[in-house]
Amino acid sequence: MWYDFTNAIKALAAESGFANITLLHLIMIVLALFFLYLAIAKKYEPLLLVPIAFGMLLANLPLGGLMHPELWDAQPLDYGAILHNGGLLDLLYLGVKLGIYPPLIFLGIGAMTDFGPLIANPKSLLLGAAAQFGIFGTYIGAMAFGAFTPQQAGSIAIIGGADGPTAIWLTSKLAPELLGPIALAAYSYMALVPVIQPPIMKALTTKKEREVIMKQLRPVSKLEKILFPIVVCVLVILIIPSSAPLVGMLMLGNLFRESGVVERLNDTAQNALINIVTIFLGLTVGSTASADKLSQPGFGIQALLIIGLGLVAFCIGTASGVLFGKLMYIFSGGKINPLIGSAGVSAVPMAARVSQKVGQEANPQNFLLMHAMGPNVAGVIGSAVAAGVLLSMLG
Amino acid sequence: MNSLIVTLVGMFVVFCALLLIILCIVIYSRLIRIKAQKPNNHEYSSVKQNNNVQKPASENNALPADSISPELLAVITAAVSACMQSTNTGYTVRSIKRIGHTTPIWNVAGRNEYILSKL
C-alpha cells in the first residue's frame, strides 16, 4: 500500500513541471518577470507589455502544452497538425502567422486617429517620409554585420518605424523566427521615446530653431477628412499593393471615424476590437520567446544584435526627421520648427508629445503638439509603405 | 539584392508615394475650398441686400444680429468677477467678442496639459 502510494507520488512528481524545468526555462521566466515589472511598476507600454510578458511566462512553464514551437518549425508548415495537436496559444498564434492581428490593430488605430493636422499641412508628410530613413539605414547596417539574411535584416530594420503592429506584420512574413525579440525591442523603444528622442533633438537643433512658434493650422472641413482615407487607400495600394492589409485597414478605420454614419462600428473598432486583438497579439508574440529558441546556437547573440540595431534604427529615424525639419526650416524662411521632424517616426502620439515638450522647454509660449501630429500620423502611413516596399523586395 | 539598392529604392518609393498623397490633398482641398467659397460670396451679397431692405427695422431699437443681450452681458461680467475673486469695480468690461470653436482639439489638450503642469 505504502509502496504504491510513494510510486504514484514519484510518478506525479516526475510528470510535474518542477522535474522538467531547465536553466534556460528559469532564465526566460526571470526575463518575463522583469518585463512584467517594467510594465506594472514603470508603466512602460503596459497595455502590450503585460500580455507579452505573461505570454512569455506561460510558454516557458514546462509541460503546460499551451505553445508547441516544434509545430511552427516544421517545413512545410502543417496547419492540420497545428489545429489537431496545438495548444491554446498555438491556435491564437495563427492570427499572427496569417497576418490577421496587425491589420485589425491598424483598423482601431485608424478609428482613433485624426488626420486633420496632416490635411491642414500636407508638407508634414515629407517629415513622415524622411524619418523612414531609420528603417533603410539600419537595413544596410544589419546586412553589414553578416549575421542576418536579407529577410531578417529587413525585419530588424522595421523597428526604426517605431510602429509595433507594422514590425510584427512584416516580421511574421519575412523572418517569423525573430518575432519575439523584434516585437519586444519595437515596443520597448516605443515606450522609451521620451528618453531616447530629446537628446538627439537638442543635439541637432539650435535654441533659436527650437523656439520657433508655428502659425495656427487652418480648420479642415468634414468633406476633406472623409475624402482623405479614400484617396490615400487607393493611391498607396496602387503604388505598393503589398501594403494593402495595413493601409487598407488603417484607412477603413479612419473612414468609420470621419464619415459619422457608422458610430457603432467606429466605437467597436477603437475600443472593444482593438483591445481583444491586443490581448491575443501580446500573448502570442510573448509566447514565441521560449527557452527552446534560446537554446538554438547563436540566438542569444542575434537577440542582442537585434536590440542594438533596433536602437540604432530608432535614433537614425529621429535624427533624419529632425534634419529634414531643419531643411524645411531653412526653405520656409524660419517658419517651421525642426522639432516636429522627430515625430515622423510613428509612435503616436508619444513622439508628438515629445516634440511639444522639448519645444516648450525652449519657449513656454510654444504649442507644437498640433503641428507635430501631422508628421506623427504621416509616419504611420510612411512606415506601412516602407514595410510594403521591404516585403515586395525581400519577400 | 545589394543592400544599398534596397535602401535607395525604398526611400525613393516612400517619398514618391507620400509626395503623390501631398499632391492629391492639395488639389482636392483647393477644389473643396473654391467650391465652398462660391456660395458664401453669393450668401454675402444676398445678406447685404437684405440688410439694405431691413434697415428701418434696426432703427426700432432691435438688437443687431451680432450683438448679445444685456442678460448675457451681465452673466459674463459676473463670471469674470467670480473668476477674479474680487467684487470691487477696478475694471470695466469694454467689449465682448464671440470666439468660434475652431481651436483644434490637440491644441486644447496641449494647453490644458501645460496649465495643469503649472498648477
Side-chain angles (χ1 to χ4, degrees):
Chain A
M1 171 76 176
W2 176 250
Y3 180 74
D4 288 343
F5 177 76
T6 50
N7 268 357
I9 292 292
K10 270 182 194 169
L12 268 177
E15 283 174 19
S16 77
F18 284 110
N20 290 279
I21 204 158
T22 62
L23 182 66
L24 285 175
H25 284 124
L26 284 173
I27 292 172
M28 294 306 284
I29 289 169
V30 170
L31 207 58
L33 294 177
F34 173 67
F35 284 124
L36 275 177
Y37 165 76
L38 286 183
I40 297 167
K42 299 284 176 190
K43 296 194 170 50
Y44 286 167
E45 291 280 333
L47 288 177
L48 264 153
L49 213 49
V50 169
I52 286 179
F54 210 81
M56 208 168 150
L57 183 70
L58 286 175
N60 288 291
L61 292 171
L63 306 180
L66 288 170
M67 187 79 180
H68 299 85
E70 68 278 3
L71 289 175
W72 297 99
D73 292 338
Q75 290 295 340
L77 212 54
D78 184 355
Y79 284 104
I82 292 167
L83 287 173
H84 280 108
N85 308 321
L88 174 67
L89 294 180
D90 285 308
L91 298 180
L92 291 179
Y93 185 68
L94 283 168
V96 176
K97 185 71 192 169
L98 300 173
I100 296 169
Y101 297 150
L104 289 180
I105 296 245
F106 260 55
L107 181 76
I109 293 172
M112 286 192 269
T113 306
D114 176 13
F115 284 103
L118 187 65
I119 303 168
N121 182 16
K123 285 194 291 288
S124 56
L125 265 158
L126 290 174
L127 292 166
Q132 306 313 316
F133 186 69
I135 296 175
F136 295 104
T138 307
Y139 177 76
I140 297 178
M143 287 300 287
F145 268 103
F148 302 104
T149 62
Q151 289 73 22
Q152 289 175 332
S155 304
I156 295 164
I158 201 73
I159 298 173
D163 198 327
T166 307
I168 291 170
W169 179 76
L170 187 68
T171 309
S172 68
K173 303 268 177 204
L174 291 181
E177 67 279 7
L178 298 181
L179 194 61
I182 287 179
L184 271 172
Y187 281 111
S188 304
Y189 291 138
M190 276 168 68
L192 291 172
V193 164
V195 181
I196 299 170
Q197 285 197 321
I200 302 169
M201 293 159 78
K202 285 176 189 168
L204 293 175
T205 51
T206 62
K207 190 159 191 300
K208 191 186 162 203
E209 287 168 344
R210 292 198 292 275
E211 281 176 345
V212 172
I213 294 178
M214 291 176 70
K215 207 175 78 183
Q216 173 104 356
L217 292 172
R218 70 171 175 86
V220 175
S221 70
K222 193 180 175 195
L223 183 58
E224 285 175 89
K225 285 188 174 180
I226 293 174
L227 281 176
F228 180 81
I230 300 168
V231 169
V232 172
C233 179
V234 172
L235 265 182
V236 174
I237 295 176
L238 283 178
I239 298 169
I240 330 264
S242 53
S243 66
L246 293 181
V247 175
M249 289 296 108
L250 181 74
M251 293 305 147
L252 174 64
N254 192 247
L255 190 61
F256 282 168
R257 174 197 171 92
E258 301 301 351
S259 64
V261 292
V262 284
E263 207 37 60
R264 274 163 50 202
L265 301 187
N266 179 34
D267 180 51
T268 304
Q270 62 174 284
N271 293 300
L273 183 66
I274 199 168
N275 289 341
I276 292 168
V277 178
T278 301
I279 296 171
F280 290 171
L281 185 75
L283 261 179
T284 49
V285 165
S287 67
T288 59
S290 63
D292 306 308
K293 285 268 166 63
L294 205 67
S295 63
Q296 286 169 10
F299 186 79
I301 297 164
Q302 269 193 341
L304 284 176
L305 275 175
I306 289 167
I307 290 166
L309 284 166
L311 181 63
V312 171
F314 209 83
C315 294
I316 297 177
T318 303
S320 52
V322 174
L323 289 174
F324 202 86
K326 276 172 84 90
L327 212 64
M328 288 176 83
Y329 166 82
I330 295 165
F331 282 107
S332 67
K335 286 181 188 155
I336 291 177
N337 191 318
L339 290 179
I340 64 167
S342 66
V345 296
S346 315
V348 183
M350 190 87 87
R353 288 166 70 101
V354 170
S355 298
Q356 153 83 5
K357 197 167 166 278
V358 178
Q360 214 157 55
E361 275 173 24
N363 179 359
Q365 304 292 314
N366 215 349
F367 293 99
L368 287 178
L369 191 62
M370 181 73 172
H371 301 283
M373 279 311 291
N376 208 187
V377 292
V380 179
I381 300 173
S383 55
V385 173
V389 173
L390 285 172
L391 185 63
S392 300
M393 295 179 82
L394 307 172
Chain B
M1 197 181 287
N2 188 332
S3 53
L4 192 65
I5 300 281
V6 173
T7 299
L8 290 176
V9 172
M11 282 309 288
F12 177 76
V13 174
V14 170
F15 263 97
C16 282
L18 298 193
L19 273 171
L20 215 58
I21 296 174
I22 293 176
L23 198 71
C24 284
I25 294 174
V26 169
I27 291 171
Y28 83 66
S29 292
R30 202 153 285 177
L31 285 176
I32 289 169
R33 274 184 286 167
I34 289 169
K35 212 173 175 188
Q37 272 169 2
K38 276 181 186 167
N40 277 355
N41 290 341
H42 186 68
E43 270 173 29
Y44 178 69
S45 58
S46 65
V47 167
K48 230 177 169 182
Q49 282 171 2
N50 286 346
N51 278 352
N52 289 339
V53 174
Q54 289 171 357
K55 213 173 183 180
S58 64
E59 282 167 5
N60 296 338
N61 285 340
L63 289 168
D66 60 344
S67 72
I68 56 170
S69 65
E71 289 85 359
L72 190 56
L73 182 71
V75 169
I76 293 171
T77 313
V80 170
S81 179
C83 200
M84 293 174 80
Q85 294 180 338
S86 129
T87 49
N88 69 9
T89 50
Y91 55 87
T92 313
V93 177
R94 290 191 185 278
S95 76
I96 290 176
K97 202 165 111 186
R98 178 182 285 276
I99 297 170
H101 292 282
T102 53
T103 311
I105 195 74
W106 283 107
N107 274 15
V108 175
R111 202 167 292 151
N112 285 345
E113 192 175 289
Y114 182 66
I115 291 167
L116 287 173
S117 72
K118 297 287 170 192
L119 287 176

